[in-house]
Amino acid sequence: MSDSLHDLEIQVAAELALQARSHPEDALNRPVTEWQFDPADAQREQVGLRSLLGAIEALERDAPRADAVDSGLDT
């Protein structure tokens, strides 16, 4: 499970980086008719991605390590 969580963490972090590079706040400087997306939607998506990233990090932190499980030790 840890590998899949790590892969998901990488994907979410990449999505956050992509969103940051797109500068969604710049849309506020243009007329509404020129918006390709609603900046509020972009902000909600960013909040959701950050929440997901935090949940993944918490799961990884709280999950027993693979070497501890293999040896019968729970840390």
Side-chain angles (χ1 to χ4, degrees):
M1 183 162 127
S2 181
D3 288 340
S4 61
L5 279 177
H6 183 69
D7 291 344
L8 181 58
E9 181 179 19
I10 290 170
Q11 290 177 340
V12 171
E15 187 68 30
L16 279 167
L18 180 65
Q19 188 181 47
R21 284 192 306 269
S22 71
H23 301 285
E25 66 278 1
D26 290 347
L28 295 173
N29 297 328
R30 292 187 295 248
V32 173
T33 56
E34 293 180 14
W35 287 0
Q36 294 180 3
F37 55 85
D38 185 338
D41 289 341
Q43 186 176 22
R44 279 190 289 274
E45 181 179 2
Q46 185 179 37
V47 168
L49 288 169
R50 290 195 183 282
S51 295
L52 180 57
L53 187 59
I56 293 166
E57 290 169 350
L59 283 172
E60 286 182 331
R61 184 178 52 247
D62 295 341
R65 294 188 346 228
D67 59 344
V69 172
D70 292 342
S71 66
L73 301 173
D74 268 342
T75 57

